[in-house]
Amino acid sequence: MKDADWERMLSQALAPAAEPEEELNQSIIRQLQERGRSKPNAKKRLSAGLLAAVLLLVLSVSAYAATRLFSAGQVAEMFGDRLLADAFESKDAVRIERSMASGDYHFTLHGLVTGAGLSEFKHLSEDLYPDRTYAVVSITRQDGKPMPDTDDPEYGKDPFFISPLVKGLKPWEANIFSMNGGYSEDVLDGVMYRLISLDEVEMFADRGVYLAISSGSAFYSSEAFRYDEKTGEIHAREDYPGASLLFELPLDAAKADRDKADAYLDSLSSPSSSHDSGTEEEWIKWMQELRAKIRDGETIGQTVPGSVKEMTYDDSGKIAYAFGERSVTMSPEDLFEEGQIGFSDRRLPISGGIDNTYEAVLFHRDENGVITGRIVILGEGSIPEF
């Protein structure tokens, strides 16, 4: 289709009395996609004015950013994931369309959706953690210059880190990479679109979740963000020379699951654990049963001789436990409620799995406030048949 044909179609569709219909919207999207597929090596693009008019017609929204950019569902469809595109358009999706500027760039968070079986492209971690979170972000330059195309030598020279971060969790330990995440990325008419996916973040909704974005590195950078050890808050550093910002994700706190989140965090802190053949539900049930036994004062395993150690505090008030190859550092508030004595059931780092035997780190606080750590062997009989 020639540009003159596009102009004629748009002049008719954008007449004062005309209202764009869904059928026409989808027709334009299909023809744009067909045009791209029919000329895979061509780099000819629609003019900026024509593209703005097309997207205005397709999106039919009033916000400035939305008139220039594709929606989350359209981006998913652009990446060939029709199932996910439908999920982004469903009632369970969270439509955001919020923009922020930082450094040389302008970022728009279009939306996110969480659930099981939402994508046509299955991730390996879904066998254990079936629920996944997907989000779409677009990036443009503030000076109006186009983002370099994927075949441009400049593409990727200024990389981006885009990841959910959870309040109260160390951002270098809990992010898109540790949470079985990844992304798809493409540049269309000077706009970069990134579709990210990772294990679900809704289980942390009661804690608060950010979407962090920074330039200059593809990984989390302490130069771009500051983590407050005492409050668990994460802040973008104003003196960072590149882009650095945080979107607060509008998650429904009612969808939080503390037991599920604690079990998941235990799996993150125990990278050597091996329960791949089991299901998420079995693992969570087992962890819940162990925690219930601890609360009831039951013994959950045999203490490793010599592993009982009194905790020391660092300058930030955190305690550290180390024995053999095991090392754990955390805040006492993460382990015990105010005035609580006895064993903690809040965090239960577990590793092992060889011969169906696991090790767990247990923490105990006595009436004098002294905290000790120990390693217990969870032998046969306390382990589910994964």
Side-chain angles (χ1 to χ4, degrees):
M1 180 178 288
K2 298 180 180 180
D3 283 352
D5 296 325
W6 284 101
E7 295 285 3
R8 184 166 51 255
M9 179 189 295
L10 289 169
S11 65
Q12 295 171 353
L14 295 176
E19 289 291 337
E21 297 181 356
E22 182 62 23
E23 182 178 353
L24 179 58
N25 291 348
Q26 295 304 318
S27 174
I28 291 176
I29 294 174
R30 287 194 298 271
Q31 292 183 62
L32 278 170
Q33 292 173 331
E34 289 298 329
R35 181 174 180 173
R37 284 194 289 267
S38 65
K39 297 182 179 181
N41 297 319
K43 287 301 172 185
K44 182 180 179 182
R45 301 295 188 186
L46 295 176
S47 67
L50 182 57
L51 176 63
V54 170
L55 296 184
L56 173 63
L57 177 63
V58 172
L59 299 179
S60 305
V61 293
S62 59
Y64 171 74
T67 62
R68 299 181 58 239
L69 305 172
F70 285 112
S71 69
Q74 289 164 335
V75 172
E77 186 171 3
M78 181 175 68
F79 287 118
D81 199 335
R82 181 65 255 178
L83 189 62
L84 182 58
D86 291 339
F88 273 119
E89 299 300 328
S90 70
K91 61 179 180 61
D92 294 323
V94 181
R95 295 172 178 81
I96 301 174
E97 302 297 348
R98 184 185 174 194
S99 299
M100 295 177 67
S102 181
D104 295 331
Y105 303 99
H106 189 269
F107 303 91
T108 299
L109 172 57
H110 295 275
L112 69 152
V113 66
T114 296
L118 300 184
S119 173
E120 296 179 19
F121 308 111
K122 185 176 180 180
H123 192 278
L124 291 175
S125 70
E126 290 184 62
D127 290 335
L128 186 61
Y129 305 110
D131 290 318
R132 299 212 19 113
T133 293
Y134 303 84
V136 170
V137 172
S138 64
I139 306 172
T140 57
R141 289 186 56 87
Q142 291 205 65
D143 60 11
K145 295 180 180 179
M147 298 292 290
D149 211 341
T150 54
D151 59 359
D152 190 312
E154 294 299 311
Y155 174 76
K157 285 191 175 181
D158 192 11
F160 297 96
F161 170 76
I162 302 179
S163 171
L165 301 176
V166 181
K167 294 180 183 179
L169 303 183
K170 295 177 180 177
W172 55 90
E173 293 181 353
N175 56 54
I176 188 171
F177 298 107
S178 63
M179 297 177 68
N180 301 305
Y183 65 86
S184 299
E185 184 176 277
D186 203 353
V187 178
L188 178 64
D189 295 290
V191 180
M192 178 181 286
Y193 293 94
R194 182 176 291 194
L195 167 63
I196 69 169
S197 68
L198 71 163
D199 295 337
E200 72 152 310
V201 299
E202 280 189 341
M203 64 176 121
F204 301 110
D206 58 337
R207 306 173 191 231
V209 182
Y210 311 92
L211 183 76
I213 302 178
S214 62
S215 64
S217 173
F219 302 97
Y220 174 83
S221 171
S222 58
E223 295 179 355
F225 301 99
R226 177 176 62 84
Y227 176 66
D228 190 318
E229 295 276 357
K230 294 183 178 180
T231 66
E233 295 281 347
I234 302 170
H235 304 275
R237 293 187 183 273
E238 296 182 357
D239 58 349
Y240 182 63
S244 176
L245 57 87
L246 296 164
F247 288 99
E248 292 260 4
L249 295 184
L251 302 178
D252 183 357
K255 294 183 179 180
D257 189 325
R258 178 66 65 162
D259 288 339
K260 184 177 182 179
D262 286 343
Y264 182 79
L265 291 175
D266 287 337
S267 73
L268 289 188
S269 63
S270 307
S272 61
S273 63
S274 175
H275 50 272
D276 294 340
S277 61
T279 66
E280 180 186 17
E281 290 76 13
E282 289 173 329
W283 181 257
I284 292 174
K285 181 180 179 182
W286 178 46
M287 295 296 295
Q288 290 174 336
E289 290 174 350
L290 287 178
R291 289 190 166 93
K293 288 181 179 180
I294 293 172
R295 287 193 295 270
D296 293 340
E298 297 183 35
T299 301
I300 65 170
Q302 295 183 343
T303 299
V304 175
S307 68
V308 180
K309 293 186 176 183
E310 182 176 334
M311 297 295 92
T312 58
Y313 293 78
D314 60 20
D315 294 338
S316 66
K318 295 205 171 204
I319 58 174
Y321 175 82
F323 180 79
E325 297 181 354
R326 299 303 304 272
S327 178
V328 180
T329 301
M330 61 183 65
S331 170
E333 289 75 20
D334 293 336
L335 294 170
F336 302 97
E337 297 179 5
E338 185 176 356
Q340 177 186 349
I341 61 174
F343 285 101
S344 169
D345 67 300
R346 286 189 170 184
R347 295 297 303 274
L348 196 60
I350 294 177
S351 64
I354 301 176
D355 297 327
N356 207 34
T357 299
Y358 291 76
E359 293 182 351
V361 181
L362 279 180
F363 294 93
H364 180 275
R365 184 162 65 181
D366 64 20
E367 60 275 6
N368 297 316
V370 176
I371 300 176
T372 55
R374 71 191 64 199
I375 292 178
V376 298
I377 302 296
L378 304 174
E380 192 172 346
S382 64
I383 316 297
E385 294 296 330
F386 290 135

